[in-house]
Amino acid sequence: METMRERFFDVTADLLDQDPRIALLLADISAASFTEAARRHPDRVINVGIREQLLIGAAGGMALTGMRPIAHTFASFLVERPFEQVKLDLEHQGVGAVLVSAAGSYDWPAGGRTHMAPGDVALLDTLPGWTVHVPGHPDEAETLLRHAAADGDTKVYVRLSVHQNADARPVTPGRFLRVREGRHGVVLAVGPMLDAVLDATEGLDVTVLYAATVRPFDAAGLRAALGERPDVVLVEPYLAGTSANEAHAALADRPHRVLGLGVPREEHRHYGSIPEHLAAYGLDAAGLRDRITSHLW
């Protein structure tokens, strides 16, 4: 099956051909996949080498000239390592860019802790005004990438992963999608967690919402789905509880309960595979069902 990252290669090459404002900045990662695009657009496909701070700084400089830069590398090198540049060269300068990551929380277990970034979305939450897309399928990734590239001078983070759902959903940027109806609370599945959530909640009387965009948080969509029982379970493919404050704010005027499930703070010091990491985090269908039922019943 095609991965989201492979779709990113094709979509970005097409965007470079179609829009002279688009520029692509790389830090060695994925550079070989853009050889032909770099040949066609040598002034707008730039590989800065393994210099992630420069990657973001150059994106900020290009944005100041009116271009729409797309910066890409692994999540730990795109958000965590150059965070000061994200804060100063984008946020402080008042310019936008599209940051597209790969290998987030557990995509490449053999890469070890240096290649895992479960705290990336939580870290960006310390800055105002970011749009954060977490697609669960290559088709959704294309929709959100094209929307981000055309979205003026905004600050957008697109979190791609090897972990993905079997089928694409008709996502709308900034809106939650109601996938299943129920009466006893809401389970909000983010990006690639949807398939496991649907398996975990099979036969349970709950509403399942799907989020491919988590910032801005669709407070109205959550409120509309709750009905009379304001119990919420968030299932995110990164740090557990990252969106808990957003859910609390959405329901601030009524008593409610929120359970945040995701990657724990404690570090798992084993390599393993993606399914093994999901099981260890309690994010496989069996682990989710136990924790969802314990919270809602």
Side-chain angles (χ1 to χ4, degrees):
M1 179 184 292
E2 181 188 28
T3 67
M4 297 186 218
R5 189 176 173 198
E6 289 167 340
R7 184 68 65 87
F8 161 69
F9 300 155
D10 293 340
V11 170
T12 304
D14 183 58
L15 290 171
L16 285 161
D17 290 340
Q18 298 298 323
D19 187 347
R21 292 184 65 238
I22 298 293
L24 174 66
L25 295 106
L26 304 166
D28 262 3
I29 300 300
S30 303
S33 298
F34 288 104
T35 300
E36 179 58 26
R39 185 192 65 78
R40 295 197 303 271
H41 308 288
D43 56 336
R44 291 190 286 125
V45 179
I46 299 170
N47 180 9
V48 303
I50 307 175
R51 301 175 180 85
E52 288 82 5
Q53 290 88 344
L54 176 59
L55 178 77
I56 301 301
M62 286 187 164
L64 284 169
T65 71
M67 300 187 76
R68 184 62 166 160
I70 299 172
H72 168 68
T73 185
F74 293 159
S76 55
F77 308 145
L78 185 65
V79 176
E80 293 182 335
R81 182 173 293 174
F83 183 70
E84 184 176 16
Q85 280 65 43
V86 174
K87 180 178 68 176
L88 297 179
D89 296 347
L90 296 177
E91 180 66 41
H92 185 63
Q93 293 291 344
V95 294
V98 182
L99 308 187
V100 181
S101 72
S105 303
Y106 40 72
D107 263 20
W108 188 25
R113 190 67 174 95
T114 56
H115 289 71
M116 297 181 182
D120 53 348
V121 177
L123 188 56
L124 283 178
D125 264 351
T126 65
L127 301 175
W130 279 85
T131 295
V132 178
H133 298 309
V134 188
H137 186 276
D139 290 353
E140 298 167 12
E142 177 167 353
T143 295
L144 297 170
L145 282 164
R146 292 187 182 279
H147 182 270
D151 196 14
D153 194 34
T154 57
K155 297 166 294 186
V156 184
Y157 180 46
V158 184
R159 193 182 203 266
L160 306 181
S161 62
V162 174
H163 181 204
Q164 60 189 53
N165 302 314
D167 299 311
R169 301 284 172 167
V171 298
T172 300
R175 294 290 188 86
F176 297 160
L177 177 68
R178 201 174 303 195
V179 178
R180 183 179 289 165
E181 296 281 354
R183 298 174 298 170
H184 294 91
V186 169
V187 182
L188 175 63
V190 175
M193 297 311 308
L194 179 60
D195 281 357
V197 165
L198 289 174
D199 288 345
T201 58
E202 183 67 35
L204 301 181
D205 190 11
V206 298
T207 293
V208 175
L209 291 181
Y210 178 52
T213 302
V214 291
R215 303 291 182 276
F217 189 86
D218 185 7
L222 177 62
R223 290 177 64 89
L226 275 175
E228 296 182 359
R229 184 167 176 178
D231 291 334
V232 179
V233 180
L234 305 172
V235 184
E236 302 179 271
Y238 36 78
L239 191 66
T242 295
S243 294
N245 284 341
E246 297 287 341
H248 286 307
L251 304 174
D253 62 337
R254 60 190 299 190
H256 63 275
R257 297 189 306 153
V258 174
L259 173 65
L261 304 180
V263 179
R265 294 180 184 274
E266 295 77 15
E267 181 180 342
H268 284 259
R269 297 176 179 272
H270 301 281
Y271 294 104
S273 63
I274 290 177
E276 287 172 329
H277 274 257
L278 289 168
Y281 303 148
L283 295 178
D284 60 347
L288 289 172
R289 189 174 183 91
D290 286 345
R291 294 199 281 176
I292 290 169
T293 55
S294 294
H295 181 69
L296 296 179
W297 281 275

